[in-house]
Amino acid sequence: MSDKIEVGSVITGKVTGIQPYGAFVSLDENTQGLVHISEVTHGYVKDINEFLKVGDEVNVKVLSIDENAGKIGLSIRATEEAPAQPEAAKAKKPRAKRQPAAAVVETENVQGFNTLKDKLQEWIEQSNRNDLIKK
């Protein structure tokens, strides 16, 4: 790793490779880092190829350095000013609260759920009735 590269510094680099998850950027002859797809620009990036191509010179900010793994995390987004949001997008709209469903209870002819214990005696009596037994 290069001694002059520090976390927080902004460096000009050259895109050397593009993968679906990000772009590899050469910082000098011996040092390369990765710009994750989420760090390419403000907003959602579906296809990194719409923003970068091999050979592009880009300004990157060093986010992290892992000496042991030999990895440098970079961000193009951190070198750009965030786009201004319209006032309507800034103000959060209060969500409508859901009203609980009204419980409808009929007092006459309530069928509803009966436990097995309640129904067991009724089923035993029905099974013993001769008029219900098929012959």
Side-chain angles (χ1 to χ4, degrees), residues 24-83:
F24 291 96
V25 177
S26 175
L27 304 176
D28 61 27
E29 304 82 40
N30 303 320
T31 311
Q32 182 170 279
L34 175 69
V35 178
H36 188 267
I37 191 169
S38 65
E39 293 294 333
V40 171
T41 189
H42 295 278
Y44 178 72
V45 177
K46 182 176 183 177
D47 183 6
I48 194 169
N49 294 299
E50 294 175 6
F51 295 89
L52 298 171
K53 64 182 186 302
V54 174
D56 285 352
E57 285 204 5
V58 292
N59 288 331
V60 293
K61 183 173 185 176
V62 180
L63 299 179
S64 63
I65 299 174
D66 185 346
E67 293 280 345
N68 296 331
K71 295 181 180 180
I72 299 178
L74 305 172
S75 174
I76 297 171
R77 180 176 77 167
T79 64
E80 302 170 347
E81 191 172 321

